[in-house]
Structure formats: C-alpha cells, structure tokens
Amino acid sequence: MGDAVGLVTSPDPLSVVGDAPPEPAAAENWLQIALAHRGISRRRFLGFASAMTALLALPATMTPQIVKALETAKKPTVVWLEFQDCAGNTESMLRSADPTIADIVLDAISLEYHETIMAGAGAAAEAVLQKHIAAGDIDILIVEGSIPTNDGGVYCTIAGKTALQHLQEAAAASKLVIAVGACAWDGGFPRLGPTGAVGVQDVIGNKPLVNLGGCPHNVANTTATIVHYLTFGKAPELDQYNRPMFAYGHLIHDQCERRANFDAGRFVEAWGDEGHRNGWCLYKMGCKGPQATYNCPIVRWNSGTSWPIGAGHGCIACASPQFWSRMSPFYDRLPDVKMFGVDATAQDIGLGAIGVVTVATAIHAGTVIARRSRDRRKAAVGPDGIVIPEPPSTPAAPSDGSGTSA
Ligand code: SF4
Ligand code: F3S
C-alpha cells in the first residue's frame, strides 16, 4: 500500500493494523495477489464477479467485463475520512470474522488514509493525506460522518483543521466521492443537535457523488459501487437522492418475507405474542417497510444471514432521507397504508375484523405469494452468502416525491 502509514499492504491485505514493515503491493494484479494470499480460487472469484453483476442489476453478459476490469484495473487510491459519527460504517466494513471476497476487494484497494483503523498517527499520518491532496490523485474519497458547520465548524477538528476544510480539500483532489451512512448523506442523527451538522452533499459541489444511506450502510453496496467504477469508470445509475438504483430502487415492503402475512391481515399485535412468534407482519409494531427502499432484504447482514425484519423487528427506514426525524417515533404505525384492492387500511384489519375484505385480500395474497415464490425460485445464494435475486423487471419509484420517505 505504497507509503500509507501502516495501512493495508501486501503481504496481508487484511492486516490493517500491521506491525511488520509491509512489502509494497504491485500496482497491477493487486487483486489477484490479495486473493491468492487468502487462498481464494479463481472459481470463487468468478462467482464473486457474477454476484456483483447481479447485485448491480446488470445483465449476466456483463460478467466477463467485470472480471476483466477487476483483473486489469489500476489499483485505485482511496481515502476514507471520518467526521462526526459513531464509526458504525467502519464497523460495518470490518464486521466479518470470515472475510468474504467483497471484504478483500475493499480491503485490498489502496486505502491510503483511514484514521480509525490505520496504525499511523499524528503528523506522519496527516502528511500522507496531504501528499495525495497536493497530487490530486485520489480516485475515490469515502466519507463517513456528518460535517458540523456552526461556530466555524469547531465541533469536529482534526490536525488543527475543521471537518469542513478537510472534506473540501480532499473532495477537490478526488474523482469520485462516496458518502457512507446516514450522517454523511444528510447529517443523520447529529443533524438534530446543536452543531449544525450537514451531509457531504450540502458542502461540496461539482463533484460526482454517490450517497450510500443506511445506519449503517451495507458494505456489499460499497463494494459493488467500487466494482462498477473500476469497470465502467463512473458511478452506477442514481436516483434523485444520488443513491444507486440497484440498492435503493425497490420498496422493502415488496421484498419482505412477511408480505404474505400483511396481505392476509396477519399482524403482530404485541412483542412476543403468537403472531410475533409465528413471523407475522410487523406493520402494527411500527414497521416503515411500506415507505422505505433498500436492498437489505436481499443482501442482508452478517454474511447474508439475517436483516432487521427477519430478526423480528420492524424496519425504521434507516436508508431513507432524514429518517431520524421523518420516520420517528419508530414504533408508531405509518398512517393509511392500504391493503391491496380494498379501501380498508392495514391498521383497520386484524384477525377479528378481516370479514368483508377476506376474499379480495385472499385473491391478491395468492397472487403475491405466487409472485414471491417465483422470485424465490429465481434467487440464488451467491458466493460468500450474498443472496442474489433476478432483478425485478420494473423498479419501484421512490414513494415520496416530497422526501418523506425513500
Ligand atoms: Fe414486511 Fe414491514 Fe411490510 Fe409487514 S409492513 S410486510 S413486516 S415490510
Ligand atoms: Fe435499515 Fe429497515 Fe433495512 S431499518 S437495514 S432499511 S430493514
């Protein structure tokens, strides 16, 4: 990793806190070296490229192009800046006890500066960052955390400079900026406090920007965004919030494994009740899935094992704009969510009041169950536990032109 201060470098691309002086990584074949070192076969690598193709909602015929790009692309120089936040997005990146190929791709890139995980500190670490800013050679700038703007930005300073100064300098030296997590996207939770916290999009202009919302973001989407950039030289298709369509283009409600229960009027009424134990719909417990978009039901967490609704908790719309204020209280029901084909709202319907809507609901539920079962048949578990579905044919438009939901 070049002269990064104790950062990721061959021979072990995952040794982010290495002790021994590292060997310089080759500029070419950097990924093959990293994969070979971790004992990853070419077959698994090809499977990873295929999974990335599907995750990016690209046709399968694009897989060879992605393989070629990953095998031949110059090792990108990446800087990760962290400002006012909880470090949850860094934790999300480092989460895996059994690193996947996605982890290795992310870790094997030339991560020249990441103050949370780099071994170096102080003036030497800052010198590395300043060298890249002066050279203007940062390929991808990843930003985590919000940027305080009140009182001259004094609420977050590093090496004598405010977060705002650091961000503006680094963004000017970068080709692509990726804001990871809710705080870097739109100020997140700190936006509600006294520091005047805002997101990256509020303080930089004229720079290609990708917002990867989520609290925290899902690292599979970061990896896919970088893979897309390495393959095509640009960000993937974005929505009106600069979020990739492949990750934020579909309602959680439409991808949810509990959807058949919603359609059938089977709702959890209290934590731990029979419905909760049976995996029924969490709408009445405050689930915001009908107004939120994200691919967490597909990509999931913890190496693809689960996600919030799968674990029995309603969605709090963590990947929606300003969700801390616009989607809370988190346990209040969304108003006026309609059952399909009927005028009754989901709130009206329960086991005891299902009566007149039973037939209409059952008809629709049958359709939905058939569709979901078809989609499940299409889905496949990709390498590293990433569940990869066939991309739905028509992306759902974000449900709120007013910005009240994603
Ligand atoms: Fe799933 Fe929530 Fe929709 Fe129920 S309301 S089907 S739990 S997303
Ligand atoms: Fe976040 Fe809701 Fe998914 S809380 S991780 S968008 S289920």
Side-chain angles (χ1 to χ4, degrees):
M1 161 129 334
D3 53 2
V5 185
L7 267 175
V8 185
T9 308
S10 288
D12 185 351
L14 296 179
S15 295
V16 292
V17 192
D19 298 325
E23 296 293 323
E28 296 91 28
N29 302 328
W30 55 275
L31 186 57
Q32 290 101 311
I33 292 170
L35 295 177
H37 184 75
R38 303 296 299 194
I40 303 292
S41 68
R42 179 161 178 80
R43 183 187 180 89
R44 263 189 83 194
F45 168 63
L46 294 177
F48 164 76
S50 177
M52 283 290 117
T53 308
L55 182 58
L56 286 162
L58 296 171
T61 52
M62 300 299 293
T63 300
Q65 194 170 338
I66 287 180
V67 168
K68 186 175 178 191
L70 290 177
E71 288 180 334
T72 59
K74 170 184 163 289
K75 188 174 183 177
T77 297
V78 178
V79 164
W80 184 303
L81 295 180
E82 183 176 351
F83 299 130
Q84 193 174 235
D85 74 324
C86 69
N89 293 284
T90 291
E91 291 292 341
S92 183
M93 179 183 74
L94 299 174
R95 79 207 181 286
S96 183
D98 174 23
T100 64
I101 298 180
D103 296 323
I104 293 170
V105 170
L106 203 58
D107 290 345
I109 58 180
S110 194
L111 193 55
E112 295 288 312
Y113 181 95
H114 187 315
E115 67 178 35
T116 309
I117 59 175
M118 62 189 178
E126 291 308 311
V128 172
L129 176 59
Q130 291 307 319
K131 186 196 82 168
H132 288 291
I133 289 175
D137 65 356
I138 302 171
D139 293 299
I140 301 173
L141 172 65
I142 300 178
V143 184
E144 171 180 12
S146 63
I147 301 97
T149 58
N150 283 353
D151 303 318
V154 297
Y155 300 106
C156 182
T157 62
I158 302 160
K161 286 184 187 172
T162 65
L164 181 59
Q165 288 172 309
H166 277 288
L167 173 58
Q168 289 177 331
E169 287 178 6
S174 305
K175 296 184 179 73
L176 175 70
V177 181
I178 303 177
V180 294
C183 298
W185 173 16
D186 58 22
F189 189 67
R191 188 187 184 100
L192 306 178
T195 65
V198 298
V200 172
Q201 64 193 5
D202 300 309
V203 291
I204 67 164
N206 299 324
K207 187 62 65 176
L209 170 67
V210 176
N211 286 320
L212 294 178
C215 195
H217 81 302
N218 192 306
V219 75
N221 295 328
T222 313
T223 307
T225 300
I226 291 173
V227 166
H228 191 283
Y229 179 76
L230 293 178
T231 305
F232 303 106
K234 62 181 182 180
E237 183 186 0
L238 305 175
D239 68 9
Q240 73 267 43
Y241 301 113
N242 279 347
R243 305 175 308 175
M245 288 296 291
F246 76 81
Y248 301 87
H250 300 280
L251 280 175
I252 287 173
H253 195 52
D254 288 342
Q255 307 170 82
C256 180
E257 63 222 22
R258 299 182 187 229
R259 177 59 180 272
N261 289 303
F262 175 91
D263 292 337
R266 291 190 292 264
F267 297 107
V268 176
E269 304 282 348
W271 300 117
D273 69 5
E274 184 188 2
H276 197 215
R277 292 195 299 277
N278 287 331
W280 290 1
C281 174
L282 294 157
Y283 164 74
K284 291 190 175 182
M285 306 307 290
C287 181
K288 307 297 188 290
Q291 287 192 10
T293 66
Y294 204 14
N295 61 354
C296 53
I298 306 301
V299 177
R300 303 187 172 221
W301 302 87
N302 298 330
S303 301
T305 55
S306 192
W307 63 301
I309 290 175
H313 194 282
C315 170
I316 61 172
C318 76
S320 298
Q322 296 182 36
F323 82 98
W324 284 103
S325 53
R326 294 183 171 178
M327 288 297 182
S328 59
F330 295 134
Y331 296 100
D332 280 5
R333 296 173 195 172
L334 284 171
D336 298 328
V337 174
K338 294 281 192 296
M339 303 293 286
F340 282 91
V342 296
D343 290 333
T345 66
Q347 199 159 337
D348 297 330
I349 298 173
L351 282 179
I354 213 162
V356 295
V357 297
T358 299
V359 174
T361 302
I363 291 170
H364 180 76
T367 310
V368 170
I369 290 166
R371 188 191 72 223
R372 293 194 62 74
S373 128
R374 178 203 66 201
D375 288 347
R376 247 181 234 116
R377 280 199 304 278
K378 286 182 179 177
V381 178
D384 311 306
I386 298 175
V387 180
I388 303 297
E390 288 276 313
S393 47
T394 43
S399 64
D400 75 326
S402 63
T404 55
S405 68

